[in-house]
Amino acid sequence: QKEVEQNSGPLSVPEGAIASLNCTYSDRVSQSFFWYRQYSGKSPELIMSIYSNGDKEDGRFTAQLNKASQYVSLLIRDSQPSDSATYLCAVTDNYGQNFVFGPGTRLSVLP
Amino acid sequence: DTGVSQDPRHKITKRGQNVTFRCDPISEHNRLYWYRQTLGQGPEFLTYFQNEAQLEKSRLLSDRFSAERPKGSFSTLEIQRTEQGDSAMYLCASSLTGLAGQETQYFGPGTRLLVL
């Protein structure tokens, strides 16, 4: 049974700070990792995908992957109140099937 | 707007009634997924199709649930004899098979079901 774990939060950071969101997964064959943002009452929207160890940057977002530690994180620089949402970590296997989502971390960026 | 549409957006029904939801994926996407999400939880996988073939079903999908994708385009999810525990957001996502494992799922707006 694959498991994806995230701290449920809420994680509160002041505006302009760096928000750090963490995710661990249990299945060593997991190959693809995704971060989705979900506003209350809305559906998830993709922020980042990462497939290789190391860092991947896209604007204010940086995803970090460490397959040996089975750990993936998302850093949000210069956090804005509009970043306040639930962030979902999703993990899948080499065939792109069996997406497993974590429970999400609720982020609150305080003005 | 991701290009994935779902209908209806909201559904209120009485316990014991049947309900059917529709999902229209992004047109060139060959994979279509159904998820269920309850408050405070991440989406839970229900089933997925590659073209018209239903390739996997979760243990969560009891015999009251059935899904179809008859022509490999839109899909329907039917819940028979609804129970109050079926109240949830039902999400559809679609993707295009690409490099092994490197496919991205795009979600529709969801159908929120309330069973009274």
Side-chain angles (χ1 to χ4, degrees):
Chain A
Q1 177 74 16
K2 296 179 183 178
E3 291 185 355
V4 178
E5 296 185 351
Q6 299 179 254
N7 290 327
S8 61
L11 172 66
S12 295
V13 299
E15 184 175 355
I18 295 175
S20 178
L21 304 163
N22 304 317
C23 171
T24 58
Y25 57 95
S26 63
D27 192 344
R28 286 193 171 275
V29 302
S30 298
Q31 293 292 329
S32 302
F33 307 87
F34 303 85
W35 283 100
Y36 285 83
R37 176 176 62 198
Q38 186 173 28
Y39 292 110
S40 180
K42 303 295 185 183
S43 61
E45 55 179 323
L46 180 71
I47 299 175
M48 295 274 293
S49 59
I50 186 167
Y51 310 110
S52 305
N53 282 326
D55 295 359
K56 179 181 178 182
E57 186 174 321
D58 184 0
R60 296 186 295 113
F61 300 96
T62 300
Q64 299 174 317
L65 175 60
N66 183 327
K67 290 186 178 181
S69 300
Q70 295 176 238
Y71 174 92
V72 58
S73 66
L74 179 71
L75 300 178
I76 307 174
R77 290 181 299 282
D78 189 24
S79 296
Q80 301 296 310
S82 59
D83 294 326
S84 298
T86 295
Y87 288 80
L88 298 164
C89 172
V91 172
T92 188
D93 60 22
N94 199 40
Y95 301 99
Q97 303 169 19
N98 299 318
F99 265 65
V100 179
F101 283 84
T105 297
R106 189 154 56 93
L107 172 67
S108 178
V109 180
L110 306 174
Chain B
D1 182 2
T2 62
V4 180
S5 61
Q6 292 186 246
D7 184 69
R9 296 289 301 277
H10 303 274
K11 179 71 177 179
I12 300 174
T13 191
K14 293 183 179 179
R15 186 165 50 106
Q17 298 294 305
N18 299 342
V19 295
T20 300
F21 308 142
R22 176 179 170 127
C23 172
D24 287 88
I26 294 171
S27 59
E28 64 268 26
H29 284 186
N30 59 340
R31 286 186 175 174
L32 186 149
Y33 298 77
W34 285 101
Y35 293 88
R36 180 173 65 190
Q37 187 176 26
T38 54
L39 197 63
Q41 301 297 317
E44 294 177 297
F45 169 80
L46 293 178
T47 188
Y48 96 95
F49 294 83
Q50 180 154 315
N51 300 313
E52 66 275 11
Q54 187 173 19
L55 296 187
E56 188 173 347
K57 290 168 53 174
S58 165
R59 292 176 287 113
L60 295 174
L61 212 65
S62 76
D63 57 5
R64 296 185 297 106
F65 288 71
S66 62
E68 294 183 342
R69 194 184 183 197
K71 297 182 179 179
S73 57
F74 74 92
S75 175
T76 58
L77 176 68
E78 181 183 17
I79 309 174
Q80 295 181 328
R81 306 181 303 282
T82 52
E83 302 172 356
Q84 289 179 325
D86 296 330
S87 296
M89 173 81 91
Y90 289 83
L91 293 163
C92 173
S94 71
S95 67
L96 180 63
T97 312
L99 292 174
Q102 294 188 15
E103 69 177 68
T104 300
Q105 295 189 9
Y106 296 90
F107 283 85
T111 295
R112 187 172 296 281
L113 172 67
L114 177 60
V115 181
L116 301 176

